[in-house]
Amino acid sequence: MASTSSLALSQALLARAISHHGSDQRISLPTPFSRASASSRRRSNAAATKLRSLHPLVVRAAAVGTLEPTTDASIVDKSVNSIRFLAIDAVEKAKSGHPGLPMGCAPMAHILYDEVMRYNPKNPYWFNRDRFVLSAGHGCMLLYALLHLAGYDSVLEEDLKSFRQWGSKTPGHPENFETPGIEVTTGPLGQGIANAVGLALAEKHLAARFNKPDAEVVDHYTYVILGDGCQMEGISNEAASLAGHWGLGKLIAFYDDNHISIDGDTEIAFTENVDQRFEALGWHVIWVKNGNTGYDEIRAAIKEAKAVTDKPTLIKVTTTIGYGSPNKANSYSVHGAALGEKEVEATRNNLGWPYEPFKVPDEVKSHWSRHTPDGKALESDWNASFAAYEKKYPEEAAELKSIITGELPAGWEKALPTYTPESPGDATRNLSQQCLNALAKVVPGFLGGSADLASSNMTLLKAFGDFQKATPEERNLRFGVREHGMGAICNGIALHSPGLIPYCATFFVFTDYMRGAMRISALSEAGVIYVMTHDSIGLGEDGPTHQPVEHLASFRAMPNTLMFRPADGNETAGAYKIAVTKRKTPSILALSRQKLPQLPGTSIEGVEKGGYTISDNSSGNKPDVILVGTGSELEIAAQAAEVLRKEGKTVRVVSFVCWELFDEQTDEYKESVLPSGVSARVSIEAASTFGWGKIVGGEGKSIGINSFGASAPAPLLYKEFGITVEAVVDAAKSFF
């Protein structure tokens, strides 16, 4: 139980927070105040007066009805303090971490994991589990403590003791690929709330497609805790706007409203009315004024949120960061550093916690132990329900099974189109659309959309309608002009179920607006397919702001990312074949706006090797020169080869459609394509030459663009920047 002084401090800080938000309501405050809390209150009163004039809306408190508590108050208090001190002790042992958020958020997190959420600790991947995302990922010890108490094998006591250490299952931010029970990787603030939107979208979509009036096999919630930092990041607004538009009623977000960020009180930079903003975005908003000890308020808010089915809910929970710490609570000093030995001891005394570090009281262990049999029973009941569903609806069950397991239908790849040199030339963005529509017919979990560029990216699925609030069963996702949110939402979709394969699209240059999400795709092993059109100066008149130059090189430098630049229809189909199968690696397809011919020698099978020979008139693996190209410049390399061959030279032309796949090949295969004895090599790509030295070697030559582009018709740009047949021929002749 908390001490009297701790409760007094807590209520004083809560009063300050309520005043800070412009409420006309008052709460009774015990006296006397500590000097720190009185000073804090004086400081906030002036700010509150200012804020009231700016934001007159008063958000009401939670409804009176509550969830029924599952146990007595003393066990709840001990459980909450167990969470706090597991976090305190782990951060203290590591001498690194963020104890403040777990200390403040422990009550709401306890109620979620102990009283509300449905999960099976012994099978973290049970399909119909509720999902939880800690968007404020720096407070990850909160989540590790919850998983530990709930009985997850991934977070044992020794894992808590190795927090933030080499090889630990408890890294410094939640990593889904490291710790079963973690749904998504949240590092940069705001990513998590956007991921949660993707998770909730997936649930709504699958429920609409597969549930029947007599059989509800998809039914789970997505919960997320986000902080002030998440709220400040633009990505959270992008994602929240879409969540409201889509009416994601099973998305419930808890806003840890503690007014502290790394630099100090949020008054220095963040004074907007978050409540009004979210209401304007189409969310239901509830305010829990006492997030420190107001357990019934939290329960009531969750009950009310669940009753609102047509829109997502934001529960603003006003808390004290570092709750229980006598000298550091409600300050930035508890945000991102260990409390220190003396303050840990003072906090133990303040909260009446007599236990040694990492000790969970027996009665708390006993209480939480029920989640193992309860979780097993939940999954068993669902399995029985699904078995009955399968008998009654075998076709739908087969599709849903494919999505749950990730097992693709037999022969799916045969749906991909193939081309011959006699096939009409076309832009690879158009050829991509043919692939997308072919895949959507045979891959049940295939869905996606564009950032308000579907008619230009050519990404519409013609056999399906738009995923909207009233039509969530459809598979075209309309993201609007929200690239960053789009990427992170797709990460959530991909990580919801192995067989969900989301794609998203924009112009290649605008990956700059979504690079944070794309990096998290790679890190968290989310196999999103990024359809990036207008891939070079070939887009023409829109000019250098729209012409990507350094982007290919930058993504080739990103780990666990496949960067494809297909040259024609067969290579586009080959890229999609790989992208669909690579569920733990994102794929980026850079596609042309301009028409390209169907080249002799290209193939779907060749793409699987990353780099392969499309033409060669040499023998003995000793050509006079090797010409290497990608995308629209592969045609230029092929034309240059014909010029050189007419002059009696032996020339090999290599398509380097995906560097990363080529790197995975055997040394023998690499030697068969790029023999070490041939140093006469020329690369051509309408982009930065950075990195091409790896391919052409120290004596080779690279033709590219090492400046920004320009505004002019594409043919003229290629001539002016020297991306021509003549330039390749001249470079090759320099070796003879």
Side-chain angles (χ1 to χ4, degrees), residues 33 41 59 79 95 112 114 126 180 275 281 305 318 330 340 381 389 393 413 418-419 453 485 510 633 644 658 663 688:
F33 292 110
R41 185 166 176 264
V59 180
S79 291
K95 303 301 180 189
L112 267 179
D114 188 50
W126 169 43
D275 314 83
L281 293 174
T318 298
N330 198 48
D381 289 347
Y389 177 89
Y393 306 103
E413 70 281 358
T418 57
Y419 305 85
L453 289 167
F510 297 145
E633 290 72 69
L644 292 167
C658 180
D663 285 343
S688 169

Side-chain angles (χ1 to χ4, degrees), residues 530-591:
Y530 292 95
V531 182
M532 301 291 111
T533 68
H534 297 63
D535 69 331
S536 71
I537 59 170
L539 65 88
E541 292 84 350
D542 273 344
T545 62
H546 282 51
Q547 294 166 359
V549 175
E550 74 280 16
H551 298 70
L552 286 166
S554 70
F555 284 112
R556 287 167 180 159
M558 186 176 286
N560 192 40
T561 301
L562 296 178
M563 180 67 250
F564 293 94
R565 190 163 184 251
D568 63 4
N570 285 328
E571 289 202 342
T572 302
Y576 273 110
K577 181 181 178 182
I578 296 295
V580 167
T581 59
K582 293 283 189 177
R583 292 296 78 232
K584 292 190 175 183
T585 301
S587 297
I588 306 169
L589 280 68
L591 304 167

Side-chain angles (χ1 to χ4, degrees), residues 121 214 220 235 261 271 309 323 325 328 337 374 387 392 414 436 490 513 537 543 550 595 624 656 687:
D214 62 342
H220 50 268
I235 184 175
S261 61
T271 54
T309 59
Y323 176 86
S325 170
K328 295 188 176 183
D374 286 357
K392 202 165 186 179
K414 295 176 183 177
L436 289 171
C490 283
Y513 276 7
I537 59 170
E550 74 280 16
K595 285 187 176 182
D624 292 329
F656 237 70

Side-chain angles (χ1 to χ4, degrees), residues 157 343 376 505 676:
E157 184 177 327
E343 190 64 14
K376 182 179 179 181
S676 54

